[in-house]
C-alpha cells in the first residue's frame, strides 16, 4: 500500500475498533503516559533517539540553517524546554478537564482583555475545523480523527492530557518521521527544512500540509495559554 492508502486504512480500522469496543480509562491513561514519554525521545535538528531513523535524520543535517533569532528575543536563554527530564518515572501531567480553554481560559482572558477571548476562540475553531473533506486525490473523507490526533499530540508534548481521548490513535496515525517534523515545527521552527517538509505525506497537496502547520501552531498557542491562564487563576484565587 502507498503511504496514503495505508493511512486511510488505519483511519478506517480505528473507527471500526471504536464502534466495537472502547478502551478503559486505565488503559487510555497508560497509552497517554507511553506517548508522553516517547515524545521526550523525539529530537529535532537531525538527531533522533530511534536508531532505525538515524539515517533519515542524518540526511537533514546538511540543510539545517543556523538561523539568527537573537534579534527577536531579549533573553538569550529563551527557547523550548521539555516539560520533564528524561528518565523520570512520574512525569507531570496537566489534566485538561481540570482547566479547559472552553470553561476556564476563555472567560479569564476576556476579563483581562475585552473580547480577545472571542477572537482567539474563533481562530482556534476555524483552524481545527478547516477541511476540504479530501486526502490527496480522495474526496468525501472525514479527516476529524486525523486532525484531532495532530492537535492532541502537540498538547501531549506539553504534558496536557484529555481523559476522553485514546492516545493509541496518535501512534496509529502519526508515523515517527511525522512526529519529528511536528516537534521541530512546534518547538524549534528555525530548524525546519524543506527536506523535512517533503519527507512526510508525499502524496498530499501543499494546501493540506500547510493546514497541518496551522494546526500545530494553534495547538501550541492554546497549550501555552492554558499554562499561563491557569497560573493567573491560581494567583487570583
Amino acid at each position: 500500500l502507498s503511504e496514503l492508502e495505508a493511512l486511510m486504512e488505519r483511519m478506517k480500522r480505528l473507527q471500526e475498533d471504536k464502534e466495537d469496543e472502547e478502551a478503559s480509562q486505565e488503559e487510555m491513561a497508560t497509552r497517554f503516559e507511553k506517548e508522553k514519554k516517547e515524545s521526550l525521545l523525539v529530537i529535532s535538528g537531525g538527531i533522533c533517539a530511534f536508531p532505525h531513523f538515524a539515517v533519515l535524520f542524518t540526511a537533514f543535517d546538511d540543510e539545517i540553517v543556523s538561523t539568527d533569532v537573537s534579534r527577536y528575543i531579549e533573553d538569550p536563554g529563551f527557547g523550548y524546554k521539555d516539560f520533564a527530564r528524561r528518565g523520570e518515572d512520574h512525569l507531570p501531567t496537566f489534566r485538561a478537564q481540570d482547566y479547559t480553554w472552553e470553561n476556564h481560559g476563555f472567560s479569564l482572558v476576556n476579563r483581562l482583555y475585552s473580547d480577545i477571548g472571542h477572537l482567539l476562540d474563533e481562530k482556534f475553531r476555524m483552524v481545527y475545523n478547516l477541511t476540504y473533506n479530501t486526502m490527496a486525490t480522495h474526496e468525501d473523507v472525514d479527516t476529524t480523527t486525523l486532525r484531532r490526533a495532530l492537535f492532541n499530540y502537540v498538547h501531549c508534548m506539553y504534558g496536557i492530557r484529555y481523559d476522553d481521548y485514546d492516545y493509541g490513535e496518535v501512534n496509529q496515525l502519526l508515523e515517527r518521521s511525522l512526529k519529528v517534523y511536528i516537534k521541530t515545527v512546534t518547538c524549534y521552527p528555525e530548524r525546519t527544512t524543506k527536506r523535512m517538509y517533503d519527507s512526510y505525506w508525499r502524496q498530499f497537496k501543499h494546501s493540506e500540509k500547510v493546514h497541518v502547520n496551522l494546526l500545530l501552531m494553534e495547538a501550541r498557542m492554546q497549550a501555552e495559554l492554558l499554562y499561563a491562564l491557569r497560573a493567573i487563576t491560581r494567583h487570583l484565587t
Side-chain angles (χ1 to χ4, degrees), residues 53-101:
F53 283 97
V55 176
L56 173 64
F57 297 112
T58 300
F60 294 154
D61 289 349
D62 59 349
E63 286 198 7
I64 295 176
V65 179
S66 179
T67 306
D68 181 15
V69 296
S70 60
R71 73 190 73 175
Y72 304 113
I73 57 177
E74 296 180 0
D75 180 3
F78 180 81
Y80 170 82
K81 292 183 179 180
D82 284 321
F83 63 91
R85 294 179 181 177
R86 295 178 180 82
E88 289 185 359
D89 292 330
H90 303 288
L91 304 182
T93 297
F94 184 135
R95 295 182 70 254
Q97 277 66 19
D98 295 337
Y99 197 93
T100 66
W101 166 255

Side-chain angles (χ1 to χ4, degrees), residues 83-125:
F83 63 91
R85 294 179 181 177
R86 295 178 180 82
E88 289 185 359
D89 292 330
H90 303 288
L91 304 182
T93 297
F94 184 135
R95 295 182 70 254
Q97 277 66 19
D98 295 337
Y99 197 93
T100 66
W101 166 255
E102 293 81 5
N103 298 330
H104 305 90
F106 173 81
S107 58
L108 175 60
V109 79
N110 260 346
R111 281 171 50 198
L112 299 174
Y113 194 143
S114 180
D115 292 333
I116 193 66
H118 294 287
L119 296 174
L120 288 170
D121 191 62
E122 182 181 358
K123 186 162 68 85
F124 292 146
R125 291 178 185 275

Side-chain angles (χ1 to χ4, degrees), residues 99 108 112 225-237:
Y99 197 93
L108 175 60
L112 299 174
L225 278 172
L226 285 172
Y227 275 103
L229 294 172
R230 184 181 66 167
I232 294 173
T233 297
R234 289 176 174 176
H235 175 72
L236 294 176
T237 55

